[in-house]
Amino acid sequence: MKYEKEINRRKTFAIISHPDAGKTTLTEKFLLFGGAIQTAGAVKSNKIKKHATSDFMEIERQRGISVATSVMTFEYNDTLINLLDTPGHKDFAEDTYRTLTAVDSVVLVVDSVNGVEDQTRRLMEVCRMRDTPVIVFINKMDRDGKNRFDLLEEIENELHISLHPMTWPINSGKDFKGVYNLYDKTLQLFTANTKAEDDEDKVVIEDLSTSILDEKIGDKDAAQLREDVELVEGVYGDLKVQDYLDGKIAPVFFGSAINNFGVKEMLDTFIQIAPVPRSRETTKRTVDVGEEKFSGFIFKIHANLDPKHRDRIAFLRVCTGRFERNKYYHHVRLDKDIRFSNPYSFLARSKDVIEDAYPGDVVGLFDTGNFKIGDTLTEGEDYYFTGIPSFSPEIFKELVNKDPMKTKQLEKGISQLTDEGVAQLFTQFGGNKKIIGCVGELQFEVIQYRLLQEYGAACEFRPLPFYKACWLTSNDTKKLEEFLRFKQANSAEDKDGNPVYLAQSEWFLNTEIQNNPEITFHFTSEIHK
Ligand code: G4P
């Protein structure tokens, strides 16, 4: 393999969590270990504060911060780590789902007090669809959390994944004494605000029956730990790394991100076991990661903050070969060759123009409207990377043009915004009603604001009584056409012309599914199949 060395030293991943579980804090600790930042507090939380949903400045601030911290690249123990950020706010969940298509593994943060939360469930669904390897970090052990056995059971049951504890906690909250590392048989005693290279409080405990354990944590907790470890080892046995790589088993670490406790253990294991870039499926064939020719795909598009400049940044994940500045690449969908004179790499501190990039890397490309999510670049071959899903929106509204003189601008604007993946656009059959579907209310505000600011088009939204969009396929074309005609008020086509059923409620949806066995109702659509 020509680029074997480069490929094997890269790990591209994302940290995912329900808002407030500690993603930003953990990200910061990783960057401290990687030397990418020097002080705590340097990474700004990119979540929009819960109360500021109507504050446009806040939306703008969010967009600014999230572009700056979209990809953080740092080195740790000779491993080059690309950490892809995901938006914290649930209204931008779709952005997160797409980012997950560009990573090779994830770290899932779970709050030990709150356990599995809504967003955790959704994110894990996406990971399971792709068999993404997952490491779980159970955070905030310094707070009185749930019983650890109950918590593990809750995670396994709710997220449908088998867990494998790598460390085991001694109590939680004010009685939290530390963790026992089941693999290197060491006891790490808890101290708040552990420094990056601090191993002072580490005690090697080869044999748990040693009295050192009682000395260190007291008779009662020592007895409990012996009992717990016997149980845990009996139930879980040894970790099979291949099961982790296949997405079947998730190693679990306990810690406290804010105190930098338990983070290093996880990072050290991460660089040992997390996957390097792997081969990927395309519409034509499996593309082997070691292929010499360059290929990559766009998983995210970010608009420019400055309304005077319409250009955007398209995020390209390199899949094979070497991406080079100023070289012509084939844009498969547009069937044209383009080159990039200012490709960006994202270092934690600044954006830098780069000369080249390798599989696993993310490159920022200036885009004047050439790109859509899911676009593929190659050295000439025609294929698309598959597995980039579009999920059903949860809120649907009719787009109403408030200024007929600006119809063209409105259409252009909405088309570009939906290319960016801000929202999904459906056109109702029979009429020409434009329906915008989003995951959260906040996106409607963003759209309205941006249409006005960037395209000079005024619009308003009228609520529609739909709760889900299902993409329809059938071997019986006539049946499908009939259904769409008969259910005209609930039928639409998506931006690519695929037929969609807009369901008013679960009851309606289930009834239609039952009544129409010849038609398949899909809850996600793949951009390229
Ligand atoms: P997020 O990105 O997942 O939304 O979470 P973030 O890191 O912003 O953390 C959410 C809150 O939880 C923050 O407090 C953070 O300080 C706190 N936190 C993170 N890790 C731990 C931990 O191990 N133990 C405890 N007790 N708290 C933790 P905040 O008050 O919301 O924000 P801030 O004012 O501290 O920034």
Side-chain angles (χ1 to χ4, degrees):
M1 251 199 296
K2 190 163 177 194
Y3 302 118
E4 191 171 8
K5 215 172 124 223
E6 293 296 345
I7 294 170
N8 287 341
R9 74 182 206 100
R10 279 167 163 76
K11 310 232 162 174
T12 300
F13 82 113
I15 303 180
I16 54 175
S17 76
H18 187 87
D20 273 344
K23 183 172 69 70
T24 311
T25 314
L26 188 64
T27 302
E28 180 171 284
K29 302 304 173 202
F30 273 17
L31 295 180
L32 280 170
F33 280 117
I37 54 170
Q38 266 66 47
T39 50
V43 180
K44 295 277 170 291
S45 169
N46 76 357
K47 66 191 161 199
I48 297 176
K49 296 288 177 211
K50 292 166 200 85
H51 316 291
T53 47
S54 300
D55 183 343
F56 294 125
M57 284 318 290
E58 199 58 27
I59 294 170
E60 289 297 279
R61 197 184 62 82
Q62 149 86 15
R63 286 172 56 209
I65 291 170
S66 65
V67 104
T69 60
S70 284
V71 185
M72 290 158 273
T73 302
F74 60 98
E75 282 200 42
Y76 180 73
N77 284 2
D78 297 329
T79 300
L80 195 139
I81 300 176
N82 291 312
L83 169 51
L84 273 55
D85 192 29
T86 52
H89 200 286
K90 81 165 184 25
D91 287 8
F92 293 95
E94 183 116 0
D95 225 24
T96 301
Y97 303 152
R98 279 189 298 253
T99 297
L100 293 181
T101 64
V103 300
D104 299 310
S105 69
V106 304
V107 167
L108 170 70
V109 186
V110 176
D111 181 329
S112 68
V113 183
N114 297 333
V116 173
E117 296 169 271
D118 262 7
Q119 243 342 63
T120 334
R121 256 178 234 114
R122 300 282 303 270
L123 291 163
M124 273 303 294
E125 263 172 48
V126 183
C127 291
R128 269 197 319 276
M129 277 168 62
R130 308 178 51 79
D131 296 325
T132 308
V134 179
I135 291 180
V136 178
F137 185 74
I138 298 184
N139 191 26
K140 305 196 186 180
M141 288 305 294
D142 59 319
R143 294 184 56 197
D144 285 321
K146 299 188 175 189
N147 171 296
R148 46 218 179 281
F149 284 106
D150 292 348
L151 193 56
L152 293 186
E153 196 178 315
E154 177 182 321
I155 298 174
E156 288 203 328
N157 289 342
E158 298 224 9
L159 303 183
H160 309 284
I161 184 155
S162 300
L163 298 179
H164 191 102
M166 306 293 284
T167 59
W168 195 254
I170 300 147
N171 302 325
S172 64
K174 61 180 178 350
D175 297 326
F176 183 50
K177 290 193 177 154
V179 292
Y180 178 69
N181 190 321
L182 296 156
Y183 279 78
D184 63 9
K185 311 243 180 276
T186 53
L187 180 71
Q188 183 85 39
L189 293 172
F190 176 69
T191 41
N193 297 315
T194 321
K195 305 238 167 35
E197 294 299 329
D198 218 349
D199 275 344
E200 271 170 33
D201 299 302
K202 215 172 191 174
V203 189
V204 178
I205 308 241
E206 279 296 342
D207 179 0
L208 276 174
S209 62
T210 171
S211 59
I212 301 173
L213 190 65
D214 303 72
E215 261 168 49
K216 290 284 177 193
I217 60 174
D219 299 352
K220 192 168 149 271
D221 289 332
Q224 184 67 53
L225 180 66
R226 289 183 187 112
E227 202 178 293
D228 284 358
V229 169
E230 195 182 329
L231 192 66
V232 169
E233 285 182 337
V235 172
Y236 295 98
D238 282 340
L239 173 73
K240 294 193 185 67
V241 175
Q242 193 55 47
D243 286 345
Y244 155 70
L245 292 173
D246 293 341
K248 290 190 192 129
I249 281 194
V252 181
F253 290 83
F254 291 85
S256 167
I258 194 99
N259 290 299
N260 204 4
F261 186 82
V263 177
K264 185 166 184 292
E265 282 77 4
M266 179 171 66
L267 184 56
D268 285 338
T269 306
F270 171 84
I271 59 163
Q272 260 180 41
I273 67 171
V276 297
R278 297 191 276 189
S279 303
R280 284 179 173 251
E281 292 305 321
T282 71
T283 43
K284 215 160 136 195
R285 61 184 182 88
T286 305
V287 170
D288 192 275
V289 67
E291 290 182 19
E292 261 177 51
K293 287 194 171 154
F294 159 79
S295 70
F297 68 92
I298 304 294
F299 65 94
K300 174 174 172 149
I301 295 175
H302 217 294
N304 196 319
L305 266 184
D306 183 349
K308 287 196 279 300
H309 298 278
R310 199 66 75 65
D311 54 357
R312 312 182 284 184
I313 297 176
F315 291 73
L316 171 88
R317 148 89 198 207
V318 180
C319 295
T320 59
R322 177 170 171 224
F323 171 87
E324 288 171 69
R325 186 163 92 95
N326 274 331
K327 188 166 167 179
Y328 277 96
Y329 292 117
H330 180 58
H331 187 312
V332 177
R333 181 176 55 88
L334 300 182
D335 190 21
K336 78 175 186 192
D337 291 346
I338 29 182
R339 66 183 179 136
F340 305 93
S341 49
N342 289 312
Y344 268 153
S345 84
F346 300 89
L347 296 167
R349 273 157 295 185
S350 61
K351 287 194 292 246
D352 285 329
V353 173
I354 49 145
E355 292 301 324
D356 56 7
Y358 295 92
D361 288 344
V362 173
V363 180
L365 305 175
F366 272 119
D367 173 37
T368 46
N370 278 325
F371 286 122
K372 259 171 57 159
I373 306 271
D375 276 347
T376 297
L377 290 179
T378 67
E379 283 195 35
E381 204 178 334
D382 281 332
Y383 57 71
Y384 292 103
F385 286 95
T386 56
I388 305 166
S390 219
F391 291 84
S392 171
E394 287 163 21
I395 309 171
F396 297 83
K397 295 188 183 187
E398 182 187 350
L399 176 72
V400 183
N401 185 359
K402 274 180 50 183
D403 182 357
M405 301 294 287
K406 296 279 171 65
T407 305
K408 268 218 172 92
Q409 284 88 332
L410 184 76
E411 284 186 358
K412 183 169 176 207
I414 203 67
S415 165
Q416 293 207 343
L417 292 187
T418 47
D419 278 356
E420 270 178 39
V422 176
Q424 291 183 52
L425 174 67
F426 304 98
T427 310
Q428 199 164 34
F429 276 128
N432 249 334
K433 201 188 272 182
K434 283 196 166 35
I435 300 169
I436 305 292
C438 290
V439 184
E441 282 292 344
L442 187 53
Q443 279 153 313
F444 288 102
E445 293 184 37
V446 174
I447 293 168
Q448 198 175 32
Y449 177 73
R450 288 189 55 193
L451 282 175
L452 193 61
Q453 294 297 313
E454 295 169 31
Y455 300 89
C459 74
E460 63 185 21
F461 293 106
R462 235 172 254 155
L464 292 170
F466 304 128
Y467 98 111
K468 200 170 240 165
C470 294
W471 284 266
L472 306 177
T473 55
S474 176
N475 290 332
D476 190 338
T477 333
K478 239 181 104 205
K479 265 264 151 43
L480 184 56
E481 275 169 15
E482 235 169 57
F483 175 85
L484 292 170
R485 210 171 332 114
F486 195 58
K487 299 279 165 197
Q488 215 174 60
N490 294 70
S491 298
E493 58 180 26
D494 72 6
K495 237 185 136 183
D496 301 317
N498 301 310
V500 171
Y501 172 69
L502 301 170
Q504 261 135 305
S505 70
E506 201 175 336
W507 185 85
F508 273 107
L509 178 59
N510 287 336
T511 312
E512 296 304 350
I513 292 174
Q514 262 170 25
N515 290 348
N516 298 281
E518 310 83 1
I519 298 175
T520 315
F521 292 69
H522 304 267
F523 295 99
T524 59
S525 92
E526 268 213 19
I527 294 180
H528 302 294
K529 288 189 207 74

